[in-house]
Amino acid sequence: MSLFRKIFGTNNPPSEEEKDKEYSKYSPDINAPLDEQFIYNFKKNGGKFLYCENETEVNDQFENILEENDWFESEALCYEPKLFSMLEENKITYHKPKSPSFLLANCENVIADEGSILFSSKQIKQHKPNELPANIIVIATTSQIIGTKSDGLSVIKNKYVKDYPTNITTIKYFEKVEEEDFTQYGSSAKNLYLLLLEDL
C-alpha cells in the first residue's frame, strides 16, 4: 500500500451496502414505533427527556428541574390556567413576569420524524421562538406523538373547529451548535425539558 493511500485513504468509493451500514449505525429505524423515533431524534437535537407514568411523577420531575436550576421562587412565563397550580405550589410568579426564568407550557404535538415540539398561540400567544425564554419546560402525553409536521397540522385542523389557533410553529433545536448551518437560520436554540406523560 502506498504512503498516499495510507494518509488519504483509498480511491475506491464505499459500496452502497457499506454506506447503508454506516448510516444505520447513527439513524433510527424508520420502522421503529413513533415514540422510539421521537425520543431518538429529540435527544439527538439536544432535548432533555423525562418519562412519567403518572401525574405525581410529572410534579416530582418538575420540582427536580426547578431544584437543578435554582428556579424556586422565580418568575415564569405561562399562558395555560391548568398549569398555574404547578407554579403556585412552588412560589413561582407568572402574572406579568418581568424576567421569566423559563416557559412552562403544554404543546399541540410532538413530531417523531424531526424530534421537534409543535406549539400554537394556545401555548405561546403571538411570541416568536426567539422571544421566548431560553429555558422551556413542556408537558406532553404519549398520545400527542405523531409522525410528521403535516400530521400535526391535520390534528390542529380537526381539534379546533372554531377558534382556530394562530402562530403555529415548531421548536427543534435544543442546544447551541458550534457551527450553525442553513437549516438553523432564524431559529434560536432552547434549553428544553420534556415531561412526557404516559396516557395510552
Side-chain angles (χ1 to χ4, degrees), residues 30-87:
I30 55 168
N31 299 316
L34 287 180
D35 57 348
E36 285 180 28
Q37 287 181 47
F38 170 73
I39 292 163
Y40 174 88
N41 290 319
F42 179 75
K43 289 174 100 174
K44 187 180 77 175
N45 293 344
K48 297 176 179 80
F49 172 81
L50 298 158
Y51 174 79
C52 305
E53 287 187 0
N54 53 51
E55 295 280 352
T56 303
E57 284 188 17
V58 169
N59 290 318
D60 290 348
Q61 293 290 11
F62 177 64
E63 287 179 14
N64 290 341
I65 293 166
L66 296 180
E67 188 174 353
E68 177 186 321
N69 294 284
D70 196 21
W71 288 337
F72 286 109
E73 299 182 25
S74 64
E75 293 184 318
L77 192 63
C78 184
Y79 296 112
E80 297 167 88
K82 64 183 176 179
L83 298 177
F84 291 168
S85 63
M86 290 178 75
L87 298 169

Side-chain angles (χ1 to χ4, degrees), residues 98-139:
K98 289 183 174 65
S99 57
S101 300
F102 63 95
L103 165 73
L104 176 64
N106 290 127
C107 63
E108 294 297 340
N109 289 104
V110 295
I111 316 281
D113 75 339
E114 60 179 33
S116 64
I117 311 287
L118 182 65
F119 293 101
S120 77
S121 55
K122 301 290 183 186
Q123 296 89 36
I124 60 172
K125 299 294 183 193
Q126 297 308 316
H127 294 293
K128 296 181 177 74
N130 63 344
E131 296 168 347
L132 296 170
N135 304 297
I136 298 176
I137 302 173
V138 175
I139 300 171

